[in-house]
Amino acid sequence: MTFGDRMRELLEQGAVVSKEFAAKAGEKAQDWGSRGLEASKEFAAKAGAKAQELGEIGVLKVEIKQLEGQAKKLIGRLGAELYSSFTEKNAQSVSRDDMAVGAILSEIAVVKAAIEKRETELQNRKNQGRDPGVTD
């Protein structure tokens, strides 16, 4: 075997090894790319679920604030009704049997129940989103 033949043989072997290396590198790159894509999809799904959860919590907080505002208005109406009863109607006492007072007290009870329901929902949502291994 001459020196030229040996060099040609080595070059051919090098070419075969290079092709194999390139093929394996391509497979690895494709594998890493698909793993990265899967990780990105998983992250996007988790982020979307967390955003929805936070949105629902935000809605509940807004509803609670609105209901609290309604309760304050009703308490103001109750105060005005009581004031009117004592000053304009010269009442000595007022009870929940008074039609106007009873109606306002009933409305306050309904709003209070709605607030408590939303607060329970809010707490449940917060507890669902919490990682059991993490403590506050």
Side-chain angles (χ1 to χ4, degrees), residues 38-108:
E38 284 300 316
S40 295
K41 286 179 182 177
E42 186 177 323
F43 174 77
K46 287 180 181 178
K50 189 66 174 179
Q52 182 176 354
E53 175 187 328
L54 291 174
E56 291 170 355
I57 287 173
V59 167
L60 286 170
K61 286 181 177 182
V62 167
E63 287 176 352
I64 290 169
K65 289 293 181 192
Q66 289 173 338
L67 290 167
E68 287 173 345
Q70 280 182 342
K72 286 179 183 178
K73 287 179 184 177
L74 288 168
I75 292 169
R77 275 184 41 208
L78 178 61
E81 182 61 37
L82 292 173
Y83 179 80
S84 172
S85 293
F86 288 116
T87 58
E88 296 171 10
K89 300 175 187 172
N90 292 325
Q92 296 297 313
S93 67
V94 178
S95 73
R96 73 176 36 246
D97 294 332
D98 180 277
M99 192 173 359
V101 171
I104 296 170
L105 288 173
S106 293
E107 287 181 64
I108 291 172

Side-chain angles (χ1 to χ4, degrees), residues 112-130:
K112 180 182 176 193
I115 290 171
E116 289 171 353
K117 178 182 175 191
R118 299 299 189 300
E119 286 175 341
T120 300
E121 289 176 28
L122 178 62
Q123 194 59 43
N124 289 341
R125 292 222 188 261
K126 285 182 177 180
N127 289 339
Q128 285 174 354
R130 194 171 285 161

